[in-house]
């Protein structure tokens, strides 16, 4: 479903991650952890093809960085749900219209739009908020709208970059519950986070970036938190 093969990732010619090899299979929920500036967002950018590896290959949902043409990147992104720390909702449109918007741009039938939007809002427990404006909702609710918007096109994967970065600890755990529920339906979920508390409460496969590389870690209950595998 997702693979990095000998991939070197750069931002503006600055090497960030070197010789990355990893595979994420269908149905997985994976955390990407690492301190601020370690390259978590960079890794996700490679997945939604905002950047192309300098060397090696990144593949996702059948799209390879080596062969995907610029004009096909939009097609790939329609199969992905991307969620950010700052929600990125359209503030001048209702919750309903925020979701409907992503379907309208692909010329989805009106009757189908209504059903898909309401179903996605139900998934995050916000069907009742369809007519609200985003800024009248709490941060946690806004992030749930963003998750519903990511779901509305029935993605094969959700890529979440610090989805709980602006939320209090309890709300963060609640957001994780929703992401886990989505994952249980078979959608791959990749979460970049530096919130170790979150990982402690909802353990899952964890990849840790340190230096210019990434490796599997096991969670340890010691105060030190993470311990890289030998
Ligand atoms: N446009 C750029 N050109 C060069 N270097 C950049 C650019 N943008 C970010 N960087 C650097 O790339 C490194 C990786 O950044 P990235 O945003 O991927 O880290 P991150 O792990 O997501 O951090 P955070 O936890 O703060 O979100 C950082 O050292 C950052 O300073
Ligand atoms: Mg980041």
């Amino acid at each position: 479903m997702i693979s990095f093969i000998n991939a070197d990732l750069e931002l503006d010619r600055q090497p960030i991650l070197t010789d990355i090899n990893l595979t994420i299979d269908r149905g997985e929920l994976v955390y990407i952890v690492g301190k601020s500036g370690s390259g978590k967002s960079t890794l996700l950018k490679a997945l939604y093809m905002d950047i192309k590896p300098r060397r090696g290959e990144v593949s996702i949902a059948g799209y390879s960085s080596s062969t995907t043409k610029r004009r096909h990147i939009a097609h790939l992104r329609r199969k992905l749900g991307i969620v950010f720390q700052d929600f990125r909702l359209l503030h001048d449109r209702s919750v309903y219209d925020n979701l409907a918007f992503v379907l309208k741009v692909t010329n989805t039938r009106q009757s189908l739009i209504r059903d898909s939007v309401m179903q996605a809002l139900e998934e995050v427990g916000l069907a009742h908020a369809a007519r609200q404006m985003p800024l009248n909702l709490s941060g946690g609710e806004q992030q749930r709208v963003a998750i519903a918007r990511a779901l509305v096109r029935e993605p094969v994967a959700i890529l979440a970059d610090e989805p709980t970065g602006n939320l209090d600890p309890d709300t963060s755990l609640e957001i994780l519950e929703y992401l886990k529920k989505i994952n249980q339906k078979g959608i791959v979920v990749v979460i970049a986070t530096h919130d170790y508390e979150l990982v402690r409460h909802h353990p899952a496969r964890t990849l840790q970036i340190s230096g210019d590389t990434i490796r599997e870690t096991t969670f340890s209950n010691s105060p030190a938190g993470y311990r890289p595998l030998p």
Side-chain angles (χ1 to χ4, degrees):
M1 170 62 203
I2 289 174
S3 68
F4 288 74
I5 302 168
N6 303 125
D8 289 356
L9 304 183
E10 294 183 352
L11 289 176
D12 290 340
R13 298 178 170 254
Q14 194 68 36
I16 310 290
L17 296 169
T18 308
D19 201 29
I20 300 304
N21 286 285
L22 70 92
T23 307
I24 297 174
D25 292 327
R26 226 163 266 286
E28 283 198 90
L29 182 149
V30 179
Y31 292 108
I32 311 291
V33 299
K35 60 179 195 229
S36 183
S38 61
K40 302 181 294 296
S41 298
T42 306
L43 196 87
L44 293 186
K45 281 179 184 165
L47 285 176
Y48 55 85
M49 297 200 183
D50 197 36
I51 57 169
K52 195 179 160 132
R54 176 96 179 132
R55 187 181 69 94
E57 186 186 11
V58 177
S59 299
I60 177 164
Y63 289 77
S64 158
S65 59
S66 328
T67 53
T68 302
K69 301 269 187 301
R70 193 170 278 274
R71 65 178 184 278
H72 292 138
I73 291 178
H75 298 169
L76 164 67
R77 291 195 189 150
R78 275 176 216 147
K79 296 180 190 242
L80 303 175
I82 308 174
V83 175
F84 295 99
Q85 173 171 359
D86 55 358
F87 322 136
R88 302 199 189 179
L89 301 172
L90 302 168
H91 294 159
D92 59 347
R93 290 168 200 242
S94 68
V95 164
Y96 181 94
D97 286 338
N98 265 270
L99 272 66
F101 181 76
V102 298
L103 294 174
K104 279 181 189 150
V105 297
T106 49
N107 294 321
T108 311
R109 258 195 359 260
Q110 199 64 37
S111 57
L112 195 61
I113 289 182
R114 207 196 132 68
D115 289 351
S116 304
V117 167
M118 291 316 293
Q119 197 185 328
L121 286 175
E122 265 163 39
E123 293 281 349
V124 298
L126 283 177
H128 63 277
R131 292 290 156 207
Q132 292 278 335
M133 297 305 276
L135 292 181
N136 291 335
L137 303 177
S138 70
E141 287 167 338
Q142 288 182 55
Q143 190 60 299
R144 280 152 63 194
V145 173
I147 291 170
R149 181 182 55 185
L151 277 180
V152 79
R153 277 198 295 225
E154 300 184 359
V156 295
I158 300 258
L159 308 177
D161 195 352
E162 304 281 0
T164 64
N166 284 349
L167 305 174
D168 64 60
D170 285 343
T171 309
S172 299
L173 294 178
E174 190 184 298
I175 290 295
L176 236 289
E177 298 283 356
Y178 284 108
L179 291 173
K180 274 172 78 171
K181 195 175 89 178
I182 288 162
N183 172 248
Q184 278 155 12
K185 299 190 338 172
I187 300 172
V188 166
V189 175
V190 182
I191 304 167
T193 184
H194 50 231
D195 184 354
Y196 289 162
E197 214 36 53
L198 201 67
V199 187
R200 206 191 302 274
H201 273 87
H202 292 286
R205 181 180 175 199
T206 304
L207 299 166
Q208 184 169 36
I209 298 178
S210 76
D212 66 350
T213 195
I214 183 162
R215 52 183 165 176
E216 308 274 345
T217 66
T218 48
F219 180 71
S220 129
N221 277 323
S222 72
Y226 287 90
R227 208 164 16 89
L229 287 174

